[in-house]
Structure formats: structure tokens, C-alpha cells
Amino acid sequence: MSRVAEGVSPLELSDYQKAVRLVLRHPLVTSGYPDRAALATVRRWADQLRTDLMEVLGYRLVTTADTARLQRAQDGLDATRPALTRAGRPFDRRRYAYLVLTLAALGRHGAQVALGELADAVAADAVRIDGLGLDTARKPDRDAFVDAVTWLTERGALTLADGSATAWAGDPERAEALYDIDREILLAVHHPTRVLQHLTSVTSLLDSSGALGLSAGRAAQRRDQARRARRLVLENPVAYYADADAELLGQLRAPALAEDLERLTGLAVERRAEGVALVDTSGRLSDVRFPGGGTVAQAALLLAARISAAVQRSGRHALELLPAPTAAERLAARARRIDGALPSRGTVTELTELTELAEPDEESAYETVVDADHEPGETRYPFVTDSWLRGRLKEIVGEYGAGFAADLRGDPDRLLDQALDLLAAMLLIVRVDGGALALPLLARYRGVTARVKTRTVPRPPAQTALFDDETAKDPTP
């Protein structure tokens, strides 16, 4: 029997699980973020949360009078939790750079700072970075800088005392903004577990169990593997058995994993022949919902249905089967892309919603196609080419484009790229050179249909009157 939440009564278990989901969804909680009730909820259960999150996941919860900060152990590079701009778009590299430089500049200021003064301080640092810079005379640079400041403001690290950041971004000569600085929240926002100057690769940020001072040595390896397995299921849409090494595979199949995660989060664990997933039908824990609203999500869902249908073909129309890159290979590829931008100067080298879920069972609901001619133990997946994907997206835009955003409808290549990125983030496909591989979970979206909602726009009264008048329809005498 699971020992999670031992000190929680059955009547209060649901409230405790809400607190767990809250702190997992929002690793930084302040008096105003994500809402005014959140910090009180976390503080009420702080002791139990601290015990369970460490024991089950290896996560450390640090609380102060005004903050609650969850320090996660990172096992992989995850691109699915970006910072968002004021318009709800993911931060680009420039905005992330401004955010980091803003944090550094705020450490050199007192209790208050003017936005223009802060921008000048960030600009002085940014100009020393090749290809960055911050020119307050350029509107795009000001907008990117204000996005970084707004991100901090939403979390309470900065509080607007006077003026308007939006007005400053529009015309810094006529407008200004004054902010109060909260030192405690600033420290909670940026709390690295490694000395950044010692990093020679982004992968040095991983294996945070060692960085956080968690268990080490042979006697604790099994416990750490169990934590890693739980993290894998919690932090990903699905944990595929094919991606797991032998020790991790045993932990993923263990009954204790489901018991601990279900009691901790209040969500259901679903097992299939190809893997295990934590099912969040409410969407209150998930940072990305799929299916979801918006043009990209809708196009991705319809594209998933078409790929899934193609997977079912047999005979001469069957798709080619190819092995997928392993999880380690995908991690290495991401690390190479990130490390390509890592500066070498100053671095100290270290010595080392539209579908219903089926009832869970052990049978394959995903219907992975396995090629009998490949090496034993190697799983191959159906491959669709880039040209095939472009053709299917063209069909989707032609059939459903009236309900899509105009900018994406007019740029199908960008829409396809974003839709495939979303499917890859949900572990429905793996993007490879020349196309994509269909992963088992994709079959869940087979047979998805959609319809375009049409809006009836009433005509202006004058126009209606004109066409209701029989004598006005034909202007000829």
C-alpha cells in the first residue's frame, strides 16, 4: 500500500491533491501568482508536500513567508514549458536573454527602478553579447524587453507603482513606468543548482538529483530509479517502454508507481502494451492540452487523424517502417543544437478534449506496426514523408481553412511546422530527416472528424431595405 499522504485524512485528501497539482503546475507560487489563494493553499500543506514531493519525485519544495518554490530534478531537455509573451506566444532567444539580463540588473538596484533606467542597464550588458544588443530606439527591442519585464511583474518580482510599460514601449520619450522590486521573489525566480560558469554543456544542468544533494551510492540507486520512473510518467504525455533502459523499465511496470502517482496527484494512471501515461482529463495539471483550441492545435489534431489512417493501410499502400531515434539520441541532438550557442569565454572547465479515453488495459490500443525483418528488440514505426505531410495539410486547409487564423492559413509551411512540433511535444510523432515517424499514442486520434462553424452576419438595415424593395433590384428604366 502506498505511503504517500500518510498524514492526510480521507476527507481532506482531495484538497491535498489539489495543492499537489497546483505546485507541480506552478513551480513558483507567490502572494499574487498564479492567484491570491494559491500561496495560502500551498502553505497549509507545506510539510506534507515537502515530504511527499521529495520521497516520490525527488523534488525539493522551498517555502518562505512570501514564496513557494519547487526545485525539480531534470532528467531531460523539455521545450514544452516556455515563458510566454504578453500576446501568449513563446519567448524567443532575444526575450530569454533580456529576462536573464534583467534579473542581473535588478540585483544592482535598490527598492525601486524606472523602466527606462532598467532598460539602459540591460542595454549596457546586452551590447557586450555578440548578436544581441538592446536599442531602445527600436520598437521590436522595446517590445521584447517589456515582455521580459511583464513576465517578472506577473510573478510579483516587480510591482508597477506608477506609469505604464505598454505606453513606454510605444513612446519612451513621452511615457515612463516605475516599479517596486521584491528581493525575495527575485531570489526564488532565479535559484540555479549549478554554478553557471562551470557549465560546458546544457546537459550539465541535468541529473539534478546530485545537484540538489539527493541520495547517492549503490544502496540508493533503486530508490532514485523509482523516482526517475515516476518523474518520467508525470512530466511527459506518455512514457514508452521502448525508450526505457532495463532498470527503468522494471520501475515503470511496477504496481507501486501507479499507486504512488494516483494517490499523490488524484489522477489516473493508464497502462498499455507500449507504455504508461498519467491521464489528466481536467487539464489542471497539464501545461499543454491536446486536443485544444486555436489554429495550430486544430490543424495538428486533423493531421494526426490523417497520419493514423495512413498507418492502417496494408499491402502495397503500407507505410515504410523505420526505427525511431532513442531517447538518448534525441537528447544528444537537442544538446548539440543548444551547445552550439554556448559562449566559451569565461567558462570554467569542470573535471568531469475531443476524444474519450478508452478503458485501460494491457492490450495495445495504439497498434504499433512491427517489422518482422528488423533486429530483435528494435521497434520500427510507420514513416510519412514531408511531401505527404504537406499534401495532407493542404487538404486540411482547403476543407477547414475558413476557421483558421488568416496569417497561418496564408503560410502553410509555418502552420505545418508548428503543428508537427505540437504533435512531437505530445509524443505522438518523432520528427526525423525527410518526414516523421508515427508513435503508438497517435492511434488514439484515429477517425477524428470536425466541422467548420459558420457565422451568420446580419446585413445592415439600409442594405436589407434596398433588397427588400422590388423596384430597387433593377436600376434600369
Side-chain angles (χ1 to χ4, degrees):
M1 181 177 178
S2 175
R3 298 179 60 185
V4 175
E6 275 190 320
V8 181
S9 71
L11 293 177
E12 294 183 309
L13 182 59
S14 177
D15 289 339
Y16 172 69
Q17 290 168 340
K18 289 179 182 178
V20 171
R21 295 194 296 268
L22 171 64
V23 77
L24 288 173
R25 179 68 180 85
H26 302 283
L28 174 63
V29 179
T30 67
S31 57
Y33 181 84
D35 56 59
R36 294 189 179 278
L39 185 60
T41 299
V42 175
R43 288 180 63 82
R44 176 193 175 194
W45 297 104
D47 291 341
Q48 189 69 51
L49 286 169
R50 198 174 291 114
T51 298
D52 287 342
L53 291 172
M54 175 61 74
E55 183 62 30
V56 177
L57 301 168
Y59 292 170
R60 174 171 292 166
L61 180 66
V62 179
T63 57
T64 66
D66 298 316
T67 66
R69 184 69 161 93
L70 183 66
Q71 296 178 354
R72 278 186 164 96
Q74 293 293 124
D75 301 306
L77 301 177
D78 185 0
T80 64
R81 299 184 182 92
L84 300 178
T85 68
R86 291 165 291 164
R89 296 187 178 92
F91 269 30
D92 55 18
R93 294 174 66 181
R94 178 175 296 274
R95 284 169 170 79
Y96 278 120
Y98 288 166
L99 176 59
V100 173
L101 293 177
T102 298
L103 285 167
L106 287 171
R108 303 191 294 267
H109 284 79
Q112 287 188 321
V113 63
L115 187 59
E117 180 186 1
L118 182 59
D120 289 341
V122 172
D125 291 334
V127 74
R128 296 198 294 266
I129 301 174
D130 294 341
L132 183 59
L134 170 57
D135 185 354
T136 55
R138 296 184 67 251
K139 182 67 162 56
D141 283 10
R142 295 198 303 271
D143 285 338
F145 172 67
V146 169
D147 279 336
V149 170
T150 301
W151 190 91
L152 292 171
T153 304
E154 289 172 347
R155 285 150 182 82
L158 294 173
T159 301
L160 183 66
D162 192 20
S164 167
T166 302
W168 180 89
D171 188 352
E173 297 296 327
R174 293 177 176 271
E176 185 56 278
L178 181 67
Y179 288 92
D180 295 326
I181 303 173
D182 190 312
R183 297 281 168 207
E184 188 172 306
I185 296 178
L186 278 178
L187 290 174
V189 167
H190 182 61
H191 196 91
T193 58
R194 303 288 176 92
V195 179
L196 299 184
Q197 288 87 344
H198 290 179
L199 300 186
T200 57
S201 169
V202 68
T203 55
S204 299
L205 291 170
L206 304 180
D207 187 23
S208 293
S209 59
L212 295 178
L214 303 183
S215 55
R218 292 180 180 274
Q221 286 182 359
R222 184 174 179 82
R223 182 171 61 178
D224 284 346
Q225 283 287 352
R227 286 170 169 165
R228 183 184 166 204
R230 297 185 198 108
R231 292 196 297 264
L232 186 64
V233 175
L234 176 73
E235 301 285 4
N236 294 278
V238 60
Y240 288 117
Y241 295 142
D243 281 339
D245 55 44
E247 291 183 349
L248 193 62
L249 182 61
Q251 293 292 344
L252 288 173
R253 294 187 182 276
L257 179 141
E259 294 174 6
D260 290 342
L261 286 179
E262 288 179 349
R263 184 162 176 82
L264 181 68
T265 65
L267 306 180
V269 172
E270 177 178 329
R271 293 186 185 275
R272 298 285 179 168
E274 296 88 354
V276 56
L278 188 66
V279 181
D280 179 20
T281 55
S282 69
R284 294 175 182 173
L285 177 60
S286 304
D287 51 338
V288 178
R289 297 197 66 177
F290 188 82
T295 296
V296 173
Q298 292 166 0
L301 178 61
L302 293 168
L303 189 60
R306 281 164 168 75
I307 299 173
S308 183
V311 169
Q312 305 309 306
R313 296 174 185 166
S314 58
R316 64 187 185 92
H317 297 293
L319 297 178
E320 181 182 5
L321 302 178
L322 297 176
T326 65
E329 290 169 343
R330 296 197 295 271
L331 173 60
R334 293 191 189 103
R336 283 195 297 272
R337 290 197 298 271
I338 297 172
D339 290 348
L342 184 69
S344 58
R345 289 178 296 176
T347 301
V348 180
T349 304
E350 288 183 318
L351 296 178
T352 56
E353 257 155 282
L354 296 176
T355 56
E356 292 293 330
L357 297 173
E359 290 297 322
D361 55 47
E362 285 292 339
E363 295 182 4
S364 172
Y366 310 137
E367 299 185 17
T368 306
V369 183
V370 179
D371 184 358
D373 296 329
H374 71 270
E375 296 180 13
E378 180 186 66
T379 304
R380 296 193 172 196
Y381 303 95
F383 172 71
V384 289
T385 65
D386 284 333
S387 60
W388 185 91
L389 290 166
R390 284 193 293 268
R392 302 298 76 72
L393 185 72
K394 183 178 180 181
E395 296 172 358
I396 291 169
V397 172
E399 190 171 354
Y400 302 103
F404 290 173
D407 60 331
L408 289 170
R409 185 174 64 242
D411 190 352
D413 288 340
R414 181 161 68 99
L415 177 57
L416 177 61
D417 188 58
Q418 293 184 15
L420 292 176
D421 280 346
L422 177 57
L423 293 178
M426 299 306 298
L427 297 182
L428 300 171
I429 65 168
V430 173
R431 300 190 69 173
V432 295
D433 290 341
L437 300 175
L439 296 182
L441 188 58
L442 189 74
R444 185 164 292 227
Y445 302 99
R446 185 188 314 126
V448 167
T449 59
R451 62 184 179 86
V452 178
K453 292 183 179 180
T454 58
R455 297 180 180 177
T456 302
V457 180
R459 291 177 293 180
Q463 184 180 15
T464 303
L466 174 66
F467 284 94
D468 283 345
D469 181 357
E470 294 295 326
T471 62
K473 289 185 179 179
D474 187 358
T476 58

